[in-house]
Amino acid sequence: MSKRDYYEVLGVSKSASEAELKKAYRKKAIQFHPDKNPDDKQAEENFKEAAEAYEVLSNPEKRQRYDQFGHAGMGGASGGGFGGGMNMEDIFSHFGDIFGGGSFFGGGFGGGGRSSRRVNRGSNLRVKVKLTLKEIAEGVEKKIKVKKYIECNSCNGSGAKDGSSFSTCSTCNGSGQVTRVQNTILGQMQTASTCPSCNGEGKMITNKCTSCAGEGIVRDEEVISINIPAGVAEGMQLSVSGKGNAARRGGINGDLLILIQEEEHPELVRDENDLLYNLFISIPDSILGTAVEIPTIENKVKVKIDGGTQPGKILRLRGKGLPDVNGYGRGDLLVKINVWVPNNVSKEERKVLEKLQSSESFQPKPSSQEKSFFKKVRNFFE
Ligand SMILES: [Zn+2]
Ligand SMILES: [Zn+2]
């Protein structure tokens, strides 16, 4: 089947303006609309043909190509199939542009593919949960009391007194939509909108439940237990599907969103999955060596500090940090060694120190590695 000329299809001249094209297409679309020509294959072909012609000619770029090369210039669209891969859905979706909003022939067309009846949805709820580092390290089950809308018990959420006192909405006959018919110069046109009587639900309650005044939901409290995985961090949000507010009259529940907050640990500072600890040792301990206790999330660990340890050194206790929330191993505990310098000393201490002040081993002799150490650690503690 060879293709007819697009201008011929729409019945316009080669120099037709945009407005003329639109007008011509409206005429054809109304004439061959499937609603007006049920089971008429030829009308459907004509309807598609007009849509394709308009699709090409209403696009300046495509129109220019068509004018220059004819159907051959339309690439894949010219293969005898339908222009630009358009199907009936596409055609109808374009009607909004041409007929100015709303659907064109009302709810009738579309083969009932899309239900216009509205489904209620409950709103989401947001709660904050404060966790200790220990809870974060291990994961925790939290029971949270939430004030929210729940399904009404008396009517099982339907809003109707005996659970079945419904009647089909007489305004929209249950479709949830009302169509308005307008007489225009092009004939009758319909626009569809949500039914105001039933809010798009398609049905009405004849006998309202007294517990919920026909809403299907009541205000209440619910204790919800949430499993919080190990490794979560401040600012993360977990979502528990369906645990938010119930929807009016048996719709879809909202979600419960849990915002994670971290309680500060008295000694440990979190840095992603690592933990940081500032250790202070005395001057004699730094020279002679010592053993110290380092706090971890679970307990304490003993750590040996070698004699001659310079302040600023960082010890890494592998695996003593927090587990990764996605299961990629565990962070470390980083211990920064600081040497405590007293600002007050007794007379006797002063005498000892004055002796040491000039003694040979107390003169600074940093290695080149120690000289450049600052560069490496500057990012660790602010
Ligand atoms: Zn009720
Ligand atoms: Zn209605």
Coordinates of all heavy atoms in Angstrom, one line a residue, residues 19 34 39 48 57 72 101 106 109 122 144-145 159 184 243 262 278 291 301 319 335 355:
A19 N -2.0 26.9 12.1 CA -3.4 27.0 12.5 C -4.3 26.2 11.5 O -5.2 25.5 12.0 CB -3.8 28.4 12.6
P34 N -12.7 6.6 16.5 CA -13.3 5.3 16.7 C -14.6 5.3 17.5 O -15.4 4.4 17.3 CB -12.2 4.6 17.5 CG -10.9 5.3 17.2 CD -11.3 6.7 17.0
D39 N -16.2 -0.4 15.2 CA -15.9 -1.5 14.3 C -15.8 -1.2 12.8 O -16.1 -2.0 11.9 CB -17.1 -2.6 14.4 CG -17.1 -3.1 15.9 OD1 -16.1 -3.2 16.5 OD2 -18.3 -3.2 16.4
K48 N -5.8 7.0 11.9 CA -4.3 6.9 12.1 C -3.6 7.7 11.1 O -2.6 8.3 11.4 CB -3.9 5.4 12.1 CG -4.3 4.6 13.3 CD -3.8 3.2 13.1 CE -4.1 2.3 14.4 NZ -3.6 0.9 14.2
L57 N 3.6 17.0 9.9 CA 3.5 18.4 9.4 C 3.5 19.4 10.5 O 3.8 20.6 10.3 CB 2.2 18.5 8.5 CG 2.2 17.6 7.3 CD1 1.0 17.9 6.4 CD2 3.5 17.8 6.5
A72 N 10.1 9.1 1.8 CA 11.5 8.5 1.9 C 12.3 9.2 3.0 O 13.2 8.7 3.6 CB 12.2 8.5 0.6
G101 N -6.6 20.6 26.5 CA -6.8 20.1 27.9 C -7.9 19.1 28.0 O -8.8 19.1 27.2
G106 N -14.1 12.2 26.0 CA -14.5 11.8 27.4 C -14.0 10.4 27.7 O -13.1 9.9 27.0
F109 N -13.5 6.4 25.3 CA -12.5 5.8 24.5 C -11.4 5.3 25.4 O -11.2 5.6 26.5 CB -12.0 6.7 23.4 CG -11.2 5.9 22.4 CD1 -11.9 5.1 21.5 CD2 -9.8 5.8 22.5 CE1 -11.2 4.3 20.6 CE2 -9.1 5.0 21.6 CZ -9.8 4.2 20.7
G122 N -2.6 6.9 52.3 CA -2.3 7.5 53.6 C -1.0 8.3 53.5 O -0.2 8.0 52.7
I144 N 8.8 1.6 68.8 CA 8.5 3.0 68.8 C 7.0 3.2 68.9 O 6.2 2.6 68.1 CB 9.0 3.7 67.5 CG1 10.5 3.5 67.4 CG2 8.7 5.2 67.5 CD1 11.0 3.9 66.0
K145 N 6.5 4.1 69.8 CA 5.1 4.4 69.9 C 4.8 5.5 68.9 O 5.4 6.6 69.0 CB 4.8 4.8 71.3 CG 3.3 4.6 71.6 CD 2.9 5.2 73.0 CE 2.9 4.1 74.0 NZ 2.5 4.7 75.3
G159 N -15.7 2.5 56.2 CA -16.4 3.8 56.5 C -17.9 3.5 56.5 O -18.7 4.4 56.9
T184 N -19.6 22.7 20.2 CA -18.7 23.6 19.5 C -19.0 23.6 18.1 O -19.8 22.8 17.6 CB -17.2 23.2 19.8 OG1 -17.0 22.1 19.0 CG2 -17.0 22.9 21.2
K243 N 3.7 1.4 57.1 CA 3.5 1.6 58.5 C 3.2 3.1 58.8 O 3.2 3.5 60.0 CB 4.7 1.2 59.3 CG 4.9 -0.3 59.4 CD 3.8 -0.9 60.2 CE 4.0 -2.4 60.4 NZ 2.8 -3.0 61.1
E262 N 22.4 10.2 66.1 CA 23.5 9.5 66.9 C 23.6 10.2 68.2 O 23.7 11.4 68.3 CB 24.8 9.6 66.2 CG 25.2 8.4 65.4 CD 26.5 8.6 64.6 OE1 27.4 9.1 65.2 OE2 26.5 8.3 63.4
N278 N 41.4 10.0 71.5 CA 42.6 10.8 71.9 C 43.1 10.3 73.2 O 42.5 10.4 74.3 CB 42.1 12.3 72.1 CG 42.6 13.2 71.1 OD1 43.6 13.0 70.4 ND2 41.9 14.3 70.9
A291 N 51.6 0.7 79.8 CA 50.5 0.0 79.3 C 49.2 0.8 79.6 O 49.1 1.3 80.8 CB 50.4 -1.4 79.9
V301 N 40.3 -2.3 75.9 CA 41.4 -3.2 75.6 C 42.7 -2.6 76.1 O 42.9 -1.3 76.2 CB 41.6 -3.3 74.0 CG1 40.4 -4.2 73.5 CG2 41.6 -2.0 73.3
G319 N 39.7 -3.5 63.1 CA 38.4 -4.1 63.3 C 37.7 -3.7 64.6 O 36.6 -4.2 64.9
V335 N 43.9 5.4 67.5 CA 44.3 6.0 68.8 C 45.4 7.0 68.6 O 46.5 6.7 68.1 CB 44.7 5.0 69.8 CG1 45.1 5.6 71.1 CG2 43.6 3.9 70.0
K355 N 67.8 19.8 85.5 CA 68.9 19.0 85.2 C 68.7 18.3 83.8 O 69.7 18.3 83.0 CB 69.0 17.8 86.2 CG 70.2 17.9 87.1 CD 70.3 16.7 88.0 CE 70.5 17.1 89.5 NZ 70.4 16.0 90.4

